[in-house]
Amino acid sequence: AIALSSGISGTFSSYSVADLMVDGINVHPFDSEVACHAEGYYAIKTAGLIKEGKRSKEIIATLDEMKKVSKAYFMADDLSHLQRSGRLNGAQAIVGNLLQVKPLLHFEDKVIVPFQKIRTYKKVVLRMYELFDEFYQKHKGENIHVCVLHVDAIEKAHEIKEYLEDKYPDIAIEIDAISPVISTHLGLGAIGFGWTIL
């Protein structure tokens, strides 16, 4: 059972409890420590391992190794949503919006936290490109998959996808919407992307 990060959801705990409550069913919960499409990569990997006949312990061990090469970054376009969810106070949100601050967020210790505070959307996207390029240079030639994520910002997502396709023709790239739960924190216009090796 592939769970949303336990730092933002009780799903992982529910899977763990289900294993104790139901006789005759063995539940093997896995904390993805991420969300959205980035979480889905673990399900895709698991499906392939099941077809190969791998047992549960082997699958969990493989997924734990996969975590080491998996990242996801998000940018909130409007800080008022982070204020309402308690991630920022009112003054921080007002000043941040005035200065066009676009916090670059990521998952750390299972929760969404700021990675860097950057001014303007363009600079945030450039920083995400830099982070991905560092990863790509270390893993070039491996089965790299990238998901470009958005909240009602499909044009921005396509621009990022086109840039990545032009620069890295050997990687697989998909576009997906950020889930409603995460969208409530990030707000409309949010953009991000995640990557892993499948």
Side-chain angles (χ1 to χ4, degrees), residues 1-2 12 15 19 25-31 55-57 60:
I2 311 297
F12 177 75
Y15 290 159
D19 185 42
I25 297 177
N26 294 319
V27 181
H28 303 277
F30 176 77
D31 187 349
R55 300 186 64 83
S56 300
K57 285 185 179 179
I60 297 292

Side-chain angles (χ1 to χ4, degrees), residues 12 16 20 25 29 43 52 55 59-60 92 100 106 113 115 123 134 137-138 141-142 166-167 180 182 186 198:
F12 177 75
S16 302
L20 302 173
I25 297 177
E52 292 173 16
R55 300 186 64 83
I59 293 170
I60 297 292
Q92 288 174 321
Q100 288 188 290
H106 72 145
V113 297
F115 179 74
K123 288 180 180 177
E134 290 170 11
Q137 297 308 326
K138 291 179 184 176
E142 300 181 52
D166 287 342
K167 190 164 183 181
I182 306 300
L186 300 178
L198 285 179

Side-chain angles (χ1 to χ4, degrees), residues 175-191:
I175 291 177
D176 199 2
I178 293 174
S179 67
V181 172
I182 306 300
S183 296
T184 58
H185 298 292
L186 300 178
L188 294 174
I191 275 289

Side-chain angles (χ1 to χ4, degrees), residues 30 49 55-66:
F30 176 77
L49 293 169
R55 300 186 64 83
S56 300
K57 285 185 179 179
E58 292 177 280
I59 293 170
I60 297 292
T62 301
L63 298 183
D64 281 331
E65 286 300 308
M66 187 175 160

Side-chain angles (χ1 to χ4, degrees), residues 36-188:
C36 307
H37 200 107
E39 177 191 351
Y41 285 136
Y42 292 106
I44 292 167
K45 184 71 173 180
T46 299
L49 293 169
I50 290 169
K51 284 183 180 178
E52 292 173 16
K54 302 294 184 184
R55 300 186 64 83
S56 300
K57 285 185 179 179
E58 292 177 280
I59 293 170
I60 297 292
T62 301
L63 298 183
D64 281 331
E65 286 300 308
M66 187 175 160
K67 272 186 192 176
K68 297 175 183 178
V69 293
S70 301
K71 292 287 181 184
Y73 294 90
F74 306 88
M75 180 217 69
D77 193 51
D78 181 352
L79 302 186
S80 62
H81 295 278
L82 290 171
Q83 177 198 347
R84 283 196 287 272
S85 66
R87 302 297 195 275
L88 292 175
N89 65 39
Q92 288 174 321
I94 291 168
V95 172
N97 280 330
L98 287 172
L99 296 175
Q100 288 188 290
V101 172
K102 309 291 184 187
L104 182 58
L105 310 167
H106 72 145
F107 280 91
E108 185 177 283
D109 296 327
K110 305 176 185 179
V111 296
I112 300 171
V113 297
F115 179 74
Q116 285 182 323
K117 292 179 182 177
I118 303 172
R119 287 187 64 184
T120 78
Y121 166 79
K122 186 176 180 181
K123 288 180 180 177
V124 173
V125 173
L126 287 173
R127 181 64 180 128
M128 286 195 282
Y129 289 157
E130 288 174 0
L131 291 164
F132 175 71
D133 190 67
E134 290 170 11
F135 171 83
Y136 179 82
Q137 297 308 326
K138 291 179 184 176
H139 300 281
K140 186 176 180 180
E142 300 181 52
N143 191 18
I144 298 173
H145 283 249
V146 175
C147 53
V148 182
L149 307 165
H150 72 96
V151 181
D152 197 28
I154 190 69
E155 289 181 8
K156 290 178 182 177
H158 276 292
E159 286 174 7
I160 292 171
K161 182 175 186 282
E162 288 168 12
Y163 171 86
L164 293 172
E165 284 175 335
D166 287 342
K167 190 164 183 181
Y168 311 101
D170 59 329
I171 65 174
I173 309 171
E174 301 163 287
I175 291 177
D176 199 2
I178 293 174
S179 67
V181 172
I182 306 300
S183 296
T184 58
H185 298 292
L186 300 178
L188 294 174

